[in-house]
Amino acid sequence: MQPLLIANWKMQLTDAQSARIADAVRQCRASGVSVVLCPSFTALPEVARVIDGADIALGAQDCAFAEHAALTGEVSPDDLVREGCTYVLIGHSERRHVLGESDEVAGKKLCAAARAGLRPVLCVGETAAEREAGLRNAVLERQCTAALASAALDEVIIAYEPVWAIGTGVHAAPDDASEAADTITALVAKFGIRARILYGGSVDATNVADFLRADGITGVLVGTASQSADDLCALIGVAVAMTEPL
Ligand code: PEP
């Protein structure tokens, strides 16, 4: 299975900056790995144009929980498909913890994304306080159950992203991420769904190899280190080198 590298540009880049990084990714050699770029909604058409014909996928950072409805400001998963998206992030920690998105809403979004034919990437993970209280597994169970209990999926991508590691420069220990991946895999299996687990949280070119080597983890979700062409191409280069025969 090729490592999956997902770049989350959040609301950090202009459309022009997004297009420039997409172009740089197109130029940097990426065989042997799967790359998904998740620009902001407004940059989707431009990034789609830049990566047209390249083996790079387009993803959105969120979607509405319905196809068409009176939901001012939301973006339909059907429209994301029309823009060229094949992936969508669901329940990112900034949506949960900064914008107040509930487990229930994340679950409805996951179902809507799957109905539209998108590959949802469900983001789960504990806060620092929850971790200190020994609640990591309970949080993972709550978030996965709410999202997957009524999902019609054979397979789901889940990004284990401890909230305390996102954008902080402090990443989880790879063994710890593996342990969380085992927990998630077992939880998801209860719903008859196979899980592919990614790790996210302060991943960059210096540590990506440790996560790609970690048991149970087959990709990474990257924020900060994906928001510069040099940093993202360096990270992709490390992952590509790991897939090449010695
Ligand atoms: C993220 O936004 O999902 C993320 C992992 O960010 P960072 O890489 O900056 O920690």
mmCIF file of all heavy atoms in Angstrom, residues 8 10 92 94 161 165-167 200-203 221-224, ligand 1:
data_model
loop_
_atom_site.group_PDB
_atom_site.id
_atom_site.type_symbol
_atom_site.label_atom_id
_atom_site.label_comp_id
_atom_site.label_asym_id
_atom_site.label_seq_id
_atom_site.Cartn_x
_atom_site.Cartn_y
_atom_site.Cartn_z
ATOM 1 N N ASN A 8 -2.924 19.700 4.509
ATOM 2 C CA ASN A 8 -4.053 20.523 4.951
ATOM 3 C C ASN A 8 -3.583 21.974 5.030
ATOM 4 O O ASN A 8 -2.839 22.342 5.933
ATOM 5 C CB ASN A 8 -4.522 20.026 6.337
ATOM 6 C CG ASN A 8 -5.631 20.893 6.899
ATOM 7 O OD1 ASN A 8 -6.229 21.707 6.186
ATOM 8 N ND2 ASN A 8 -5.909 20.727 8.176
ATOM 9 N N LYS A 10 -5.418 24.557 5.508
ATOM 10 C CA LYS A 10 -6.268 25.346 6.411
ATOM 11 C C LYS A 10 -6.713 26.637 5.713
ATOM 12 O O LYS A 10 -7.020 26.614 4.523
ATOM 13 C CB LYS A 10 -5.533 25.624 7.736
ATOM 14 C CG LYS A 10 -4.875 24.376 8.306
ATOM 15 C CD LYS A 10 -4.460 24.503 9.724
ATOM 16 C CE LYS A 10 -3.708 23.244 10.141
ATOM 17 N NZ LYS A 10 -3.661 23.042 11.559
ATOM 18 N N HIS A 92 -12.099 17.782 11.688
ATOM 19 C CA HIS A 92 -10.753 18.232 12.078
ATOM 20 C C HIS A 92 -10.838 18.910 13.452
ATOM 21 O O HIS A 92 -11.839 19.529 13.788
ATOM 22 C CB HIS A 92 -10.206 19.208 11.024
ATOM 23 C CG HIS A 92 -8.779 19.568 11.269
ATOM 24 N ND1 HIS A 92 -8.407 20.555 12.146
ATOM 25 C CD2 HIS A 92 -7.622 19.048 10.778
ATOM 26 C CE1 HIS A 92 -7.085 20.632 12.183
ATOM 27 N NE2 HIS A 92 -6.588 19.726 11.362
ATOM 28 N N GLU A 94 -9.734 21.577 14.630
ATOM 29 C CA GLU A 94 -10.073 23.013 14.678
ATOM 30 C C GLU A 94 -11.571 23.217 14.501
ATOM 31 O O GLU A 94 -12.159 24.146 15.053
ATOM 32 C CB GLU A 94 -9.255 23.764 13.613
ATOM 33 C CG GLU A 94 -7.804 23.906 14.064
ATOM 34 C CD GLU A 94 -6.781 23.774 12.969
ATOM 35 O OE1 GLU A 94 -7.128 23.910 11.782
ATOM 36 O OE2 GLU A 94 -5.609 23.516 13.300
ATOM 37 N N GLU A 161 -5.119 12.383 15.310
ATOM 38 C CA GLU A 161 -4.465 13.679 15.468
ATOM 39 C C GLU A 161 -4.669 14.177 16.896
ATOM 40 O O GLU A 161 -5.675 14.846 17.188
ATOM 41 C CB GLU A 161 -5.074 14.699 14.500
ATOM 42 C CG GLU A 161 -4.873 14.372 13.040
ATOM 43 C CD GLU A 161 -4.839 15.659 12.223
ATOM 44 O OE1 GLU A 161 -5.826 16.382 12.199
ATOM 45 O OE2 GLU A 161 -3.787 15.919 11.625
ATOM 46 N N ALA A 165 -0.878 18.026 19.687
ATOM 47 C CA ALA A 165 0.256 17.928 18.744
ATOM 48 C C ALA A 165 0.026 18.766 17.486
ATOM 49 O O ALA A 165 0.936 18.916 16.671
ATOM 50 C CB ALA A 165 0.476 16.465 18.364
ATOM 51 N N ILE A 166 -1.176 19.301 17.326
ATOM 52 C CA ILE A 166 -1.487 20.003 16.073
ATOM 53 C C ILE A 166 -0.976 21.444 16.127
ATOM 54 O O ILE A 166 -1.382 22.240 16.978
ATOM 55 C CB ILE A 166 -3.006 19.976 15.797
ATOM 56 C CG1 ILE A 166 -3.458 18.526 15.623
ATOM 57 C CG2 ILE A 166 -3.342 20.805 14.567
ATOM 58 C CD1 ILE A 166 -4.913 18.359 15.322
ATOM 59 N N GLY A 167 -0.048 21.730 15.223
ATOM 60 C CA GLY A 167 0.471 23.085 15.100
ATOM 61 C C GLY A 167 1.342 23.528 16.263
ATOM 62 O O GLY A 167 1.638 24.712 16.418
ATOM 63 N N GLY A 200 -1.414 12.514 12.404
ATOM 64 C CA GLY A 200 -1.232 13.940 12.144
ATOM 65 C C GLY A 200 -0.897 14.661 13.426
ATOM 66 O O GLY A 200 -1.408 14.327 14.508
ATOM 67 N N GLY A 201 -0.053 15.665 13.312
ATOM 68 C CA GLY A 201 0.334 16.471 14.473
ATOM 69 C C GLY A 201 1.820 16.749 14.437
ATOM 70 O O GLY A 201 2.628 15.913 14.819
ATOM 71 N N SER A 202 2.185 17.938 13.876
ATOM 72 C CA SER A 202 3.585 18.380 13.824
ATOM 73 C C SER A 202 4.492 17.411 13.067
ATOM 74 O O SER A 202 5.637 17.183 13.453
ATOM 75 C CB SER A 202 4.113 18.648 15.243
ATOM 76 O OG SER A 202 3.364 19.683 15.849
ATOM 77 N N VAL A 203 3.949 16.861 11.983
ATOM 78 C CA VAL A 203 4.779 16.020 11.100
ATOM 79 C C VAL A 203 5.537 16.934 10.139
ATOM 80 O O VAL A 203 4.985 17.906 9.621
ATOM 81 C CB VAL A 203 3.905 15.038 10.291
ATOM 82 C CG1 VAL A 203 4.750 14.271 9.267
ATOM 83 C CG2 VAL A 203 3.197 14.065 11.223
ATOM 84 N N LEU A 221 -1.158 13.182 7.931
ATOM 85 C CA LEU A 221 -1.916 14.398 7.633
ATOM 86 C C LEU A 221 -1.065 15.557 8.141
ATOM 87 O O LEU A 221 -0.685 15.576 9.312
ATOM 88 C CB LEU A 221 -3.280 14.340 8.324
ATOM 89 C CG LEU A 221 -4.202 15.566 8.263
ATOM 90 C CD1 LEU A 221 -4.374 16.079 6.834
ATOM 91 C CD2 LEU A 221 -5.564 15.221 8.840
ATOM 92 N N VAL A 222 -0.739 16.468 7.241
ATOM 93 C CA VAL A 222 0.269 17.487 7.554
ATOM 94 C C VAL A 222 -0.316 18.880 7.365
ATOM 95 O O VAL A 222 -0.846 19.191 6.300
ATOM 96 C CB VAL A 222 1.494 17.328 6.615
ATOM 97 C CG1 VAL A 222 2.612 18.271 7.041
ATOM 98 C CG2 VAL A 222 1.980 15.886 6.596
ATOM 99 N N GLY A 223 -0.197 19.707 8.395
ATOM 100 C CA GLY A 223 -0.646 21.092 8.298
ATOM 101 C C GLY A 223 0.523 22.012 7.985
ATOM 102 O O GLY A 223 0.886 22.221 6.821
ATOM 103 N N THR A 224 1.160 22.534 9.023
ATOM 104 C CA THR A 224 2.194 23.566 8.875
ATOM 105 C C THR A 224 3.257 23.215 7.830
ATOM 106 O O THR A 224 3.578 24.036 6.964
ATOM 107 C CB THR A 224 2.884 23.799 10.245
ATOM 108 O OG1 THR A 224 1.856 23.985 11.231
ATOM 109 C CG2 THR A 224 3.781 25.021 10.200
HETATM 110 C C1 PEP B 1 -3.432 19.443 10.882
HETATM 111 O O1 PEP B 1 -3.846 20.564 10.677
HETATM 112 O O2 PEP B 1 -4.172 18.472 10.657
HETATM 113 C C2 PEP B 1 -2.078 19.263 11.380
HETATM 114 C C3 PEP B 1 -1.678 18.052 11.643
HETATM 115 O O3 PEP B 1 -1.333 20.394 11.535
HETATM 116 P P1 PEP B 1 0.245 20.421 11.894
HETATM 117 O O4 PEP B 1 0.944 19.532 10.925
HETATM 118 O O5 PEP B 1 0.622 21.863 11.748
HETATM 119 O O6 PEP B 1 0.392 19.933 13.293
#
